[in-house]
Amino acid sequence: MRKRLGIIFLFVMLFISFITLWNYSYYKGKEEAYVPIDKTSKAPIIPNEKGVFKRSEHALDYVNMPIDENHQRSINTYYKNREFYGGPPSIPHKVQSERNMGDNSCLKCHENGGYVEKFKAYTPVTPHPELVNCRQCHVPEKSKTLFVANNFKKGTIPSVGTNNALLGSPPAIPHQLQMRENCLSCHAGPSAPKEIRVTHPERVNCRQCHVPNNKVTVDIGSFIRKFEN
């Protein structure tokens, strides 16, 4: 009798243990996965990585926008008002006031773009609308004054379609990301040069497939002029 009771007791304990472990495992499995972040990692991090997603809210709009064949920009016009490769573009139109800049004037057109009848063109979208002191880097074109002759050359402009590691692989990014990390501002929409307009703006995680072709990953920070007392 005692032997039977012992076996029954053992069976009940095993059954209770099974139910307890199964219940614990079940609720553990419903918890969200968590990956601990190692803050001591020395791997290089691109500071402006999050800038890739700044215009992602407009990605589906870009997909549905028809292409205006009569008013497309080209890569040549893109570089025409830049004195050197990587330089900030000059302002190809009149500026009403030297102090009228940023969100008071420039961003009204250049934050989201749009067609301008006066210029018969689409307004380029700035990749950094948070930097409102536009005239710190962008200056109006000067064409009616004399310049001192020199042998300055703009340098080599990357050719389109030649920066793929393999045939059919996604092209590498031929420029640094700082100040130009907002990919869709230049590579999507009617103001994007037709040679570099992306065919899939809805895939907003550009860096998943496209990587820089250089090793510059250090943020140089914002320029601050130091005044001497």
Side-chain angles (χ1 to χ4, degrees), residues 78-97:
Y78 179 84
Y79 285 112
K80 184 179 180 181
N81 63 336
R82 286 168 168 81
E83 290 302 318
F84 56 91
Y85 170 65
S90 57
I91 304 173
H93 56 75
K94 293 181 179 180
V95 179
Q96 292 183 355
S97 173

Side-chain angles (χ1 to χ4, degrees), residues 202-217:
E202 72 278 8
R203 303 176 187 177
V204 295
N205 191 359
C206 312
R207 291 296 314 284
Q208 184 175 351
C209 299
H210 303 277
V211 296
N213 64 355
N214 55 47
K215 298 181 180 180
V216 180
T217 58

Side-chain angles (χ1 to χ4, degrees), residues 68-83:
D68 188 346
E69 300 288 349
N70 298 322
H71 301 93
Q72 293 193 83
R73 295 177 70 205
S74 68
I75 200 70
N76 291 329
T77 58
Y78 179 84
Y79 285 112
K80 184 179 180 181
N81 63 336
R82 286 168 168 81
E83 290 302 318

Side-chain angles (χ1 to χ4, degrees), residues 73-79 85 156-167 169-175 186-187 192-199 210 213:
R73 295 177 70 205
S74 68
I75 200 70
N76 291 329
T77 58
Y78 179 84
Y79 285 112
Y85 170 65
T156 303
I157 298 175
S159 56
V160 179
T162 59
N163 59 337
N164 301 57
L166 299 172
L167 183 63
S169 63
I173 303 173
H175 56 74
C186 293
H187 292 279
K194 55 185 179 181
E195 294 90 346
I196 60 173
R197 186 189 296 120
V198 69
T199 59
H210 303 277
N213 64 355

Side-chain angles (χ1 to χ4, degrees), residues 134-190:
C134 311
R135 292 297 307 279
Q136 183 174 346
C137 299
H138 303 277
V139 297
E141 292 180 345
K142 297 290 185 181
S143 58
K144 295 182 179 181
T145 55
L146 297 177
F147 292 90
V148 177
N150 59 71
N151 58 354
F152 175 78
K153 294 182 180 180
K154 287 190 175 184
T156 303
I157 298 175
S159 56
V160 179
T162 59
N163 59 337
N164 301 57
L166 299 172
L167 183 63
S169 63
I173 303 173
H175 56 74
Q176 297 184 25
L177 292 182
Q178 190 166 13
M179 302 293 289
R180 292 185 290 182
E181 70 277 3
N182 194 346
C183 307
L184 293 183
S185 63
C186 293
H187 292 279

